[in-house]
């Protein structure tokens, strides 16, 4: 990418950031209205005036209070790895930004436009599980359970606020650098609902922590989050693979240490990946797109003939249009800083019970 083009992208990104922050400040008077509407909605479910569907088999809901960027997909993949050899497993997502409606069963031949990027990512990595998408989680669950053999456990992705379904186990995620206790609701803040919503969680996982987070800091965060009796809190970090993966296999990232490449991201917060690559001393320029970005033909043409490393869900979007030789993705996993066995035991105990 030439310097002029790069400067243009930086300029557009800067002005977009400034405008969005100004709009958030202007919309501050709307915050009490949004707060009341979401508070009332939750109370109507708590008081059972609005009905939640309860199921007689295990359903695990993964979600957050904030808008994006807490690591839901790595958590869902962690649960898949934990459970896929123990039970017949399915995941259900809404399929954000897909162009289809209603229930869709994800297959290896599905496209991002049909099912969304993250569900296709799950199916591509874990071909032996069932993956479905449906904005109406009740309808999606009914369709999944109609499959033979039917799944014994369903993991709901990004369903913390979907209260028409009452899951048996709730996992609430909050990012280390953006704790929900330090935020307010939309449109000025990033919270989808008031902080009180955290009380519904069975476990709270603080994601994207430094690997060397101290016990003192963990205690301080637990106090800030006001963890309730009966809830458990865990701390997790991002584990970056030592290899990058492409259409023809994997190779050590050390092989491109002296090669300049373009890092393409369409995720809520690329900063941890940028920090990781900078710490490795890699030579790269960065093109940042909005979360779940659908790449235009013009953008695809701009990226052609470049050596590109991207995130896994962006790879799913780009791999059909760009050369396999020049396109790679950085795999990541969620790793608990400690007490992973305790977390695993809670999940397994819930399922068996």
């Amino acid at each position: 990418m030439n310097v002029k083009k790069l400067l243009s992208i930086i300029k557009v990104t800067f002005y977009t950031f400034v405008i969005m922050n100004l709009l958030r400040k202007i919309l501050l008077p709307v915050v009490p209205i949004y707060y009341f509407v979401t508070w009332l909605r939750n109370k109507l479910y708590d008081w059972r005036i609005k009905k939640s569907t309860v199921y007689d088999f295990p359903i695990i809901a993964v979600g957050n209070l904030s808008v994006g960027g807490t690591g839901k997909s790595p958590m869902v993949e962690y649960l898949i790895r934990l459970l896929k050899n123990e039970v017949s497993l399915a995941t259900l997502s809404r399929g954000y930004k897909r162009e289809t409606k209603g229930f869709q069963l994800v297959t290896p031949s599905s496209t991002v436009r049909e099912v969304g990027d993250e569900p296709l990512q799950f199916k591509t990595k874990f071909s032996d599980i069932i993956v479905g998408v449906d904005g109406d989680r009740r309808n999606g669950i009914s369709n999944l359970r109609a499959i033979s053999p039917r799944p014994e456990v369903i993991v709901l992705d990004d369903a913390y606020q979907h209260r028409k379904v009452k899951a048996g186990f709730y996992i609430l995620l909050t990012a280390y650098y953006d704790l929900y206790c330090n935020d307010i609701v939309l449109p000025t803040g990033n919270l989808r609902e008031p902080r009180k919503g955290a009380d519904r969680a069975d476990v709270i996982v603080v994601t994207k922590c430094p690997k060397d987070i101290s016990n003192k800091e963990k205690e301080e965060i637990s106090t800030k989050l006001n963890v309730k009796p009966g809830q458990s809190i865990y701390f997790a970090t991002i584990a970056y693979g030592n290899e990058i993966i492409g259409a023809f296999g994997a190779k050590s990232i050390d092989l491109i240490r002296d090669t300049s490449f373009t890092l393409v991201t369409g995720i809520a917060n690329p900063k941890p990946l940028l920090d990781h690559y900078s710490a490795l001393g890699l030579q790269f320029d960065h093109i940042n797109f909005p979360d779940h970005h659908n790449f235009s033909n013009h953008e695809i043409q701009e990226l052609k003939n470049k050596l590109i490393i991207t995130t896994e869900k962006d790879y799913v979007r780009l791999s059909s249009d760009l050369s396999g030789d020049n396109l790679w993705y950085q795999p990541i996993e969620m790793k608990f800083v400690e007490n992973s066995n305790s977390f695993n035991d809670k999940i397994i105990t819930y399922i068996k019970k």
Side-chain angles (χ1 to χ4, degrees):
M1 176 175 292
N2 60 50
V3 174
K4 184 177 180 181
K5 179 68 175 178
L6 180 59
L7 289 174
S8 176
I9 292 174
I10 293 172
K11 184 177 180 180
V12 170
T13 303
F14 173 76
Y15 282 119
T16 301
F17 175 80
V18 170
I19 292 170
M20 290 303 296
N21 275 276
L22 180 60
L23 283 173
R24 285 184 172 230
K25 292 177 180 178
I26 292 172
L27 291 172
L28 182 60
V30 181
V31 167
I33 299 172
Y34 184 93
Y35 182 102
F36 176 75
V37 170
T38 53
W39 173 87
L40 180 61
R41 175 181 181 271
N42 279 326
K43 283 300 180 183
L44 291 175
Y45 279 106
D46 294 341
W47 295 330
R48 300 185 181 180
I49 296 172
K50 292 177 73 71
K51 301 298 182 183
S52 299
T53 302
V54 181
Y55 297 87
D56 60 356
F57 62 93
I59 294 181
I60 302 171
V62 176
N64 51 20
L65 298 186
S66 305
V67 178
T70 57
K72 292 185 295 294
S73 294
M75 171 55 79
V76 170
E77 291 189 359
Y78 183 95
L79 294 171
I80 293 172
R81 293 187 181 94
L82 176 66
L83 299 175
K84 66 185 180 69
N85 296 325
E86 305 295 327
V87 294
S88 174
L89 183 66
T91 67
L92 180 63
S93 310
R94 62 172 169 160
Y96 184 62
K97 284 195 174 182
R98 64 187 171 115
E99 297 176 358
T100 57
K101 301 293 184 181
F103 178 78
Q104 296 284 325
L105 190 64
V106 183
T107 70
S109 60
S110 297
T111 67
V112 169
R113 295 186 183 276
E114 292 171 336
V115 299
D117 49 16
E118 288 158 344
L120 185 56
Q121 175 182 318
F122 299 153
K123 186 64 180 179
T124 302
K125 292 180 75 171
F126 307 101
S127 59
D128 51 343
I129 71 163
I130 302 166
V131 179
V133 296
D134 199 329
D136 182 339
R137 302 304 203 281
R138 288 189 293 199
N139 185 64
I141 290 169
S142 296
N143 277 280
L144 288 173
R145 292 284 282 181
I147 295 171
S148 182
R150 67 185 185 182
E152 300 168 299
V153 178
I154 296 178
V155 176
L156 302 181
D157 176 30
D158 195 11
Y160 198 79
Q161 285 77 35
H162 198 93
R163 299 204 61 186
K164 291 181 180 180
V165 168
K166 183 170 176 54
F169 197 93
Y170 285 93
I171 301 173
L172 177 64
L173 309 180
T174 185
Y176 167 82
Y177 53 81
D178 190 21
L179 300 172
Y180 61 75
C181 60
N182 298 329
D183 206 348
I184 62 173
V185 297
L186 294 164
T188 299
N190 286 319
L191 298 187
R192 301 174 176 182
E193 60 173 300
R195 288 171 287 191
K196 185 71 174 174
D199 292 354
R200 301 196 302 275
D202 293 282
V203 300
I204 299 170
V205 181
V206 182
T207 61
K208 305 184 180 181
C209 296
K211 294 181 177 63
D212 58 352
I213 183 172
S214 67
N215 289 331
K216 180 180 178 182
E217 189 172 12
K218 286 185 285 187
E219 291 172 3
E220 290 173 350
I221 290 174
S222 298
T223 301
K224 286 180 181 178
L225 294 178
N226 193 24
V227 178
K228 303 297 183 183
Q231 292 181 322
S232 300
I233 185 167
Y234 297 90
F235 296 85
T237 188
I238 298 173
Y240 293 99
N242 295 322
E243 295 181 322
I244 52 175
I245 301 175
F248 305 112
K251 67 179 181 181
S252 171
I253 200 164
D254 287 333
L255 295 177
I256 62 166
R257 186 170 293 279
D258 298 322
T259 304
S260 181
F261 64 89
T262 299
L263 177 64
V264 175
T265 59
I267 56 178
N269 182 18
K271 186 177 184 301
L273 181 55
L274 293 173
D275 291 344
H276 175 67
Y277 277 2
S278 296
L280 291 177
L282 301 180
Q283 305 171 34
F284 64 95
D285 58 270
H286 177 218
I287 305 178
N288 188 35
F289 294 96
D291 198 13
H292 300 280
H293 181 68
N294 283 321
F295 294 91
S296 68
N297 290 332
H298 174 73
E299 289 164 345
I300 294 294
Q301 291 302 316
E302 288 288 324
L303 296 174
K304 281 187 174 179
N305 302 318
K306 301 178 185 297
L307 175 59
I308 293 172
I309 299 179
T310 190
T311 68
E312 192 164 358
K313 73 176 182 181
D314 291 313
Y315 181 88
V316 169
R317 292 180 175 276
L318 291 168
S319 58
S320 61
D321 296 306
L322 296 178
S323 166
D325 291 328
N326 292 330
L327 181 65
W328 302 80
Y329 72 84
Q330 172 65 62
I332 66 170
E333 290 185 19
M334 195 201 73
K335 298 284 187 183
F336 286 98
V337 174
E338 61 182 4
N339 298 330
S340 60
N341 288 338
S342 170
F343 177 87
N344 296 349
D345 288 344
K346 283 187 180 296
I347 300 298
I348 298 299
T349 299
Y350 159 67
I351 288 172
K352 289 182 176 179
K353 183 175 69 174

